Amino acid sequence: MDKPSNLLLKLSRRLFDDSTAQEQFIQALTQPQSFPTCIIWCRQKPESLPFAVTTAITWQPAFVDCVSPGEKPGKFPLHEDGYYYCLDFSSVFAASTLLAISEPISTILDMCAAPGGKGIFAWKALQPELLISNEVIGKRLGMLISNLKRCQISPTAVTNIDPQIWTQRLPHTCSLAIVDAPCTGQSLLAKGDKALGCFHPTLIHKNASRQKRILANSAQVVAPQGYLAYMTCTYSIEENEQVCEWFLARFPQFQPVSISHLERYQSHLTTIPCYRLFPQDGMGAGAFTALFQNQENMSQASLNKQLLNLEMLRQQQIAPKFSS
C-alpha cells in the first residue's frame, strides 16, 4: 500500500487521539517491515541450535524462543522432525493470556484451529488430557493435521464441526475454549500481504457478527470455572473491544481475567481487561487478546455429566480426522 486510503485514515483517528501515534500506525501499514519469527519447542530443546535466538523478554515462557533477524528456522531438519513449530510474535502475544491459567486443564477445544499454532501453544503451556482441534473450513484441515502430526501433539483429535453443534454434543464440558476468530486480517498489511477490503465497514460488521456467533457457541461448551480465550489479528474496534463488551453483556457469568504480564498493552479503548499489540511497537504485525472465566459453580450432577461426556469423547472421538 503506497498511499493510505480514507478508510485507513479514519481507523487511525478512531484508534489514536495523538497525531504522532496515528502517523506511526499508518506508516507501519503502508511501509511494511519484517518481524521476528518465534518457535514453540514441542520436543526437548537441543543443547546446540543451528540458528541464533534473541534474549527472552520477562514473560516469555521457556518453551518459546525468538530467533534472530535473518534466521530461517523452518529450513532446518529439526523443524521437519517436529522439534518446534514456527509462528510470529503476535501469535505468541495473543496466546500468552493462557499463561495466567494456573488450574489443571483437562480438555481444550480450539474452535478455529488451523494452522494450529494457538492450540500447540496451549498444549505445551497447559498439558491438557485432551486437545480438540476443530476447523470448520475443510481446505484448511490438511495443514492443521500435518502440523499436529509433525510436532507429535498428543493426545489430540481433529474435527470438522460447526461451532453450534459443539453446544449440543459437549455442553459445559471443556476446561478451556480458544477462539482465534476469523477476522478482516488488517494486520496482514503490516507484513506486506494483501487483505482486500479489510477496512470496509460491510466486511468489518460481517466478521464481527460471525465472531459473536462463534463466541456464543464456544461459551456454552466451557465448564463451570473454565476459561474462554478470544483472539484476533485485526485492529478494528468492532471486531475486538465491542465484541468483548457484547459477550460480557450476553454471558454475565463470564468475567474478564487481568493478565499482569500484558498490563502495559491494556487497550486504551475500553476498561475491560483486554490487550493489543500494534505494528508500530516493532515486535509483531498486531494482535488483540482477552481471557474470560466462567464463574458458575459446578454441581455434582454437572460434574458427573462432564466426566461422562469426556469419556465418551475419548473412546469415540467426535468425527475425528486424525487422532493419536
Side-chain angles (χ1 to χ4, degrees), residues 29 88 90-91 93-94 118 140 179-191 195 198-199 211 230-236 239-240 275-277 279 285-289:
L29 270 62
D88 59 16
S90 296
S91 295
F93 173 91
K118 305 298 196 313
R140 292 170 62 85
V179 178
D180 185 16
C183 63
T184 50
Q186 295 164 350
S187 68
L188 291 173
L189 298 177
K191 296 190 286 188
C198 65
F199 300 120
Q211 291 154 1
Y230 179 64
M231 313 167 191
T232 78
C233 61
T234 200
Y235 311 122
S236 66
E239 298 177 81
N240 294 315
Y275 308 91
R276 279 183 177 265
L277 181 72
F288 176 90
T289 187

Side-chain angles (χ1 to χ4, degrees), residues 184-319:
T184 50
Q186 295 164 350
S187 68
L188 291 173
L189 298 177
K191 296 190 286 188
D193 297 331
K194 293 182 178 180
L196 298 177
C198 65
F199 300 120
H200 198 282
T202 300
L203 186 60
I204 290 173
H205 288 293
K206 179 180 178 181
N207 276 277
S209 296
R210 178 167 56 170
Q211 291 154 1
K212 291 174 183 177
R213 173 182 176 271
I214 296 172
L215 265 182
N217 286 300
S218 300
Q220 296 175 70
V221 306
V222 176
Q225 301 301 309
Y227 293 87
L228 176 58
Y230 179 64
M231 313 167 191
T232 78
C233 61
T234 200
Y235 311 122
S236 66
I237 302 169
E238 291 84 354
E239 298 177 81
N240 294 315
E241 288 85 359
Q242 289 183 11
V243 168
C244 292
E245 291 166 356
W246 172 90
F247 173 74
L248 292 173
R250 177 76 179 274
F251 297 92
Q253 70 270 33
F254 282 84
Q255 293 296 315
V257 178
S258 295
I259 312 298
S260 58
H261 71 265
L262 295 182
E263 184 177 2
R264 62 172 291 215
Y265 298 99
Q266 165 65 38
S267 171
H268 60 280
L269 301 166
T270 182
T271 57
I272 296 172
C274 55
Y275 308 91
R276 279 183 177 265
L277 181 72
F278 285 106
Q280 61 266 34
D281 295 330
M283 302 177 73
F288 176 90
T289 187
L291 182 67
F292 307 100
Q293 185 177 25
N294 185 354
Q295 297 295 308
E296 292 180 322
N297 292 317
M298 183 182 297
S299 67
Q300 187 59 47
S302 297
L303 177 59
N304 291 340
K305 183 178 181 180
Q306 181 191 38
L307 294 174
L308 177 61
N309 286 339
L310 290 176
E311 185 59 30
M312 291 174 62
L313 176 62
R314 291 191 181 95
Q315 291 179 8
Q316 300 176 13
Q317 296 201 349
I318 299 173

Side-chain angles (χ1 to χ4, degrees), residues 12-324:
S12 70
R13 290 192 290 267
R14 292 187 65 202
L15 291 176
F16 305 102
D17 294 329
D18 180 68
S19 61
T20 300
Q22 295 171 11
E23 293 171 2
Q24 291 173 340
F25 175 70
I26 293 170
Q27 184 178 1
L29 270 62
T30 56
Q31 301 177 32
Q33 60 176 303
S34 59
F35 296 102
T37 299
C38 292
I39 58 175
I40 300 173
W41 287 102
C42 304
R43 297 169 63 181
Q44 182 65 39
K45 180 178 176 180
E47 293 184 4
S48 177
L49 301 180
F51 47 79
V53 299
T54 61
T55 302
I57 57 179
T58 55
W59 57 263
Q60 186 174 313
F63 59 83
V64 171
D65 271 323
C66 187
V67 303
S68 298
E71 296 281 11
K72 305 290 184 182
K75 296 184 178 296
F76 292 95
L78 285 175
H79 178 264
E80 293 302 316
D81 292 341
Y83 274 81
Y84 53 80
Y85 178 88
C86 298
L87 72 174
D88 59 16
F89 181 83
S90 296
S91 295
V92 172
F93 173 91
S96 75
T97 56
L98 304 180
L99 300 175
I101 300 175
S102 58
E103 302 92 331
I105 295 297
S106 173
T107 302
I108 296 174
L109 172 57
D110 189 0
M111 191 65 85
C112 313
K118 305 298 196 313
I120 291 175
F121 185 104
W123 172 82
K124 188 67 178 181
L126 302 173
Q127 294 294 293
E129 295 177 20
L130 178 66
L131 169 65
I132 308 168
S133 296
N134 184 65
E135 179 53 54
V136 174
I137 302 175
K139 66 181 181 180
R140 292 170 62 85
L141 284 172
M143 72 174 100
L144 174 61
I145 293 170
S146 176
N147 286 329
L148 294 174
K149 280 186 174 181
R150 179 179 59 81
C151 295
Q152 301 180 29
I153 307 303
S154 175
T156 186
V158 172
T159 58
N160 177 219
I161 300 175
D162 186 271
Q164 186 174 2
I165 298 176
W166 283 108
T167 67
Q168 304 165 8
R169 296 193 177 183
L170 285 180
H172 315 300
T173 300
C174 298
S175 307
L176 168 64
I178 301 172
V179 178
D180 185 16
C183 63
T184 50
Q186 295 164 350
S187 68
L188 291 173
L189 298 177
K191 296 190 286 188
D193 297 331
K194 293 182 178 180
L196 298 177
C198 65
F199 300 120
H200 198 282
T202 300
L203 186 60
I204 290 173
H205 288 293
K206 179 180 178 181
N207 276 277
S209 296
R210 178 167 56 170
Q211 291 154 1
K212 291 174 183 177
R213 173 182 176 271
I214 296 172
L215 265 182
N217 286 300
S218 300
Q220 296 175 70
V221 306
V222 176
Q225 301 301 309
Y227 293 87
L228 176 58
Y230 179 64
M231 313 167 191
T232 78
C233 61
T234 200
Y235 311 122
S236 66
I237 302 169
E238 291 84 354
E239 298 177 81
N240 294 315
E241 288 85 359
Q242 289 183 11
V243 168
C244 292
E245 291 166 356
W246 172 90
F247 173 74
L248 292 173
R250 177 76 179 274
F251 297 92
Q253 70 270 33
F254 282 84
Q255 293 296 315
V257 178
S258 295
I259 312 298
S260 58
H261 71 265
L262 295 182
E263 184 177 2
R264 62 172 291 215
Y265 298 99
Q266 165 65 38
S267 171
H268 60 280
L269 301 166
T270 182
T271 57
I272 296 172
C274 55
Y275 308 91
R276 279 183 177 265
L277 181 72
F278 285 106
Q280 61 266 34
D281 295 330
M283 302 177 73
F288 176 90
T289 187
L291 182 67
F292 307 100
Q293 185 177 25
N294 185 354
Q295 297 295 308
E296 292 180 322
N297 292 317
M298 183 182 297
S299 67
Q300 187 59 47
S302 297
L303 177 59
N304 291 340
K305 183 178 181 180
Q306 181 191 38
L307 294 174
L308 177 61
N309 286 339
L310 290 176
E311 185 59 30
M312 291 174 62
L313 176 62
R314 291 191 181 95
Q315 291 179 8
Q316 300 176 13
Q317 296 201 349
I318 299 173
K321 300 296 181 181
F322 160 71
S323 62
S324 61

